[in-house]
Amino acid sequence: MKSRLKSLLFVYLFWVVLFILQKPIFLLFHWDSACRHSFGEWLLTNVHGFSMDLSMAGYFTLPILVVLLVSCFFSKD
């Protein structure tokens, strides 16, 4: 059971880190629009988007949670 929780936490943190890292990459990719804004606004993009990152990571992790919960009933752990 502990290994299932660790794997679920790993998947959740993977998505959160991926979403956090993709914001600066997205802003650099769209440099012509992003260069009009200050560095503080770039940081606020991450701050305000963090709650959305957490919720999307939860949505993406939910199917794995369901599979892990079902597997608890069929395994001998």
Side-chain angles (χ1 to χ4, degrees):
M1 184 66 170
K2 190 182 274 191
S3 65
R4 288 185 178 110
L5 289 175
K6 283 183 183 179
S7 64
L8 187 68
L9 181 64
F10 174 77
V11 169
Y12 182 77
L13 291 176
F14 167 78
W15 284 114
V16 170
V17 169
L18 182 72
F19 290 144
I20 289 171
L21 291 178
Q22 65 85 25
K23 276 189 200 59
I25 294 170
F26 178 83
L27 290 171
L28 288 174
F29 185 73
H30 294 285
W31 180 253
D32 53 337
S33 298
C35 69
R36 296 184 212 133
H37 303 286
S38 68
F39 183 71
E41 289 175 317
W42 277 42
L43 290 178
L44 285 177
T45 301
N46 285 326
V47 170
H48 293 300
F50 187 66
S51 62
M52 186 70 73
D53 294 340
L54 294 177
S55 66
M56 283 305 299
Y59 288 136
F60 287 166
T61 308
L62 186 63
I64 297 169
L65 173 65
V66 171
V67 169
L68 288 176
L69 287 175
V70 170
S71 73
C72 288
F73 293 110
F74 295 109
S75 70
K76 303 278 188 208
D77 287 342

